[in-house]
Amino acid sequence: MKVSRTASGHQSAASTAGSAASKTFGERLREARAKTRLTQSKLSMTCGVPETMLSRYENDHILPSVTTLHKLADALGMSVSALVGDGSNVLQAFVHALDELGINIQSDAEAERLGNVVADMVEEHDDHVSFLISGP
């Protein structure tokens, strides 16, 4: 991965290596902002990050600090790990999908119960969860 530094010492998020499917931080930020239907101006007002900096992040000119990452993730209603693309956003996507259907998990006990129901369905080879069943 080719990483360059800007005059301010921040690393550029531009990459010349990696798979075509992987997205840059700027692409993930732009997509998350679009999903929440926020303009750069509204996101700036929500999280306190100047609009010019948001533009620089989205265009992969610089990467934000850890503090700024937290502000952005909070304002966008997502985890920092999902925003930086570490691949651990599966649970976040699951919760979001349930939320879109009006289903809210209110406690750890409810989450565990739901997990057990899904596990039972997999064990019983239910066609509804056949995509979760791995090969022999």
Coordinates of all heavy atoms in Angstrom, one line a residue, residues 10 25 49 53 57 62-72 80 83-84:
H10 N -0.2 14.2 8.3 CA -1.2 13.2 8.2 C -0.9 12.2 7.1 O -0.3 12.6 6.0 CB -2.6 13.8 8.1 CG -3.1 14.4 9.3 ND1 -2.8 15.8 9.5 CD2 -3.8 14.0 10.3 CE1 -3.4 16.1 10.7 NE2 -4.0 15.1 11.2
F25 N -11.1 5.3 3.1 CA -11.8 5.9 4.2 C -12.8 7.0 3.7 O -13.9 7.1 4.1 CB -10.8 6.6 5.2 CG -11.5 7.4 6.3 CD1 -12.2 6.7 7.3 CD2 -11.6 8.8 6.2 CE1 -12.9 7.5 8.3 CE2 -12.3 9.5 7.1 CZ -12.9 8.9 8.2
V49 N -16.9 19.3 13.2 CA -15.7 19.2 12.3 C -15.9 20.1 11.1 O -17.0 20.1 10.5 CB -15.5 17.7 11.8 CG1 -14.3 17.7 10.8 CG2 -15.2 16.8 12.9
M53 N -12.6 20.3 6.3 CA -11.9 19.1 6.7 C -12.7 17.9 6.2 O -12.1 16.9 5.8 CB -11.7 19.1 8.2 CG -10.8 20.1 8.7 SD -9.1 20.1 8.0 CE -8.5 18.6 8.7
Y57 N -11.3 14.8 4.0 CA -11.4 13.4 4.4 C -12.0 12.6 3.3 O -11.6 11.6 2.9 CB -12.2 13.2 5.7 CG -11.6 13.9 6.9 CD1 -12.5 14.4 7.9 CD2 -10.3 14.0 7.1 CE1 -12.0 15.0 9.0 CE2 -9.8 14.7 8.2 CZ -10.6 15.2 9.2 OH -10.2 15.8 10.3
I62 N -6.4 13.6 3.5 CA -5.9 13.3 4.8 C -6.8 12.4 5.6 O -8.0 12.2 5.2 CB -5.7 14.6 5.6 CG1 -7.0 15.3 5.8 CG2 -4.6 15.5 5.0 CD1 -6.9 16.5 6.8
L63 N -6.3 11.8 6.6 CA -7.1 11.0 7.5 C -7.3 11.8 8.8 O -6.5 12.5 9.3 CB -6.4 9.7 7.9 CG -6.2 8.7 6.7 CD1 -5.3 7.5 7.1 CD2 -7.6 8.2 6.3
P64 N -8.5 11.6 9.4 CA -8.8 12.3 10.7 C -8.1 11.7 11.9 O -7.6 10.5 11.8 CB -10.3 12.1 10.8 CG -10.6 10.8 10.1 CD -9.6 10.8 9.0
S65 N -8.0 12.5 12.9 CA -7.4 12.0 14.2 C -8.4 11.0 14.8 O -9.6 10.9 14.4 CB -7.2 13.2 15.1 OG -8.5 13.7 15.5
V66 N -8.0 10.3 15.8 CA -8.8 9.3 16.5 C -10.0 10.1 17.2 O -11.1 9.6 17.1 CB -8.0 8.6 17.6 CG1 -9.0 7.7 18.4 CG2 -7.0 7.7 16.9
T67 N -9.7 11.2 17.7 CA -10.8 12.0 18.4 C -11.9 12.4 17.3 O -13.1 12.3 17.6 CB -10.2 13.3 19.0 OG1 -9.3 12.9 20.0 CG2 -11.3 14.2 19.6
T68 N -11.4 12.8 16.2 CA -12.3 13.2 15.1 C -13.1 12.0 14.6 O -14.3 12.1 14.2 CB -11.6 14.0 13.9 OG1 -10.9 15.1 14.5 CG2 -12.5 14.4 12.8
L69 N -12.4 10.9 14.5 CA -13.1 9.6 14.0 C -14.3 9.4 14.9 O -15.4 9.0 14.5 CB -12.1 8.5 14.1 CG -11.3 8.2 12.9 CD1 -10.3 7.0 13.2 CD2 -12.2 7.8 11.7
H70 N -14.1 9.5 16.2 CA -15.2 9.3 17.2 C -16.3 10.2 17.0 O -17.5 9.9 17.0 CB -14.7 9.3 18.6 CG -13.9 8.1 19.0 ND1 -14.6 6.9 19.5 CD2 -12.6 7.8 19.1 CE1 -13.7 6.0 19.8 NE2 -12.5 6.5 19.5
K71 N -16.0 11.5 16.7 CA -17.0 12.5 16.5 C -17.8 12.2 15.2 O -19.0 12.3 15.2 CB -16.4 13.9 16.3 CG -15.8 14.5 17.6 CD -15.2 15.9 17.3 CE -14.5 16.5 18.5 NZ -13.9 17.8 18.2
L72 N -17.1 11.8 14.2 CA -17.8 11.5 12.9 C -18.7 10.2 13.1 O -19.8 10.2 12.6 CB -16.7 11.2 11.8 CG -16.0 12.4 11.3 CD1 -14.8 12.0 10.5 CD2 -16.9 13.4 10.6
V80 N -16.8 3.3 15.1 CA -15.5 3.7 14.5 C -15.0 2.6 13.6 O -14.5 2.9 12.5 CB -14.5 4.1 15.6 CG1 -13.1 4.4 15.0 CG2 -15.0 5.4 16.3
L83 N -16.5 2.6 10.3 CA -16.1 3.8 9.5 C -14.7 3.6 8.9 O -14.4 4.0 7.8 CB -16.2 5.1 10.4 CG -16.0 6.4 9.7 CD1 -17.0 6.6 8.5 CD2 -16.2 7.5 10.7
V84 N -13.8 3.0 9.7 CA -12.5 2.8 9.2 C -12.3 1.5 8.4 O -11.3 1.2 7.8 CB -11.4 2.8 10.3 CG1 -11.3 4.1 11.0 CG2 -11.6 1.7 11.3

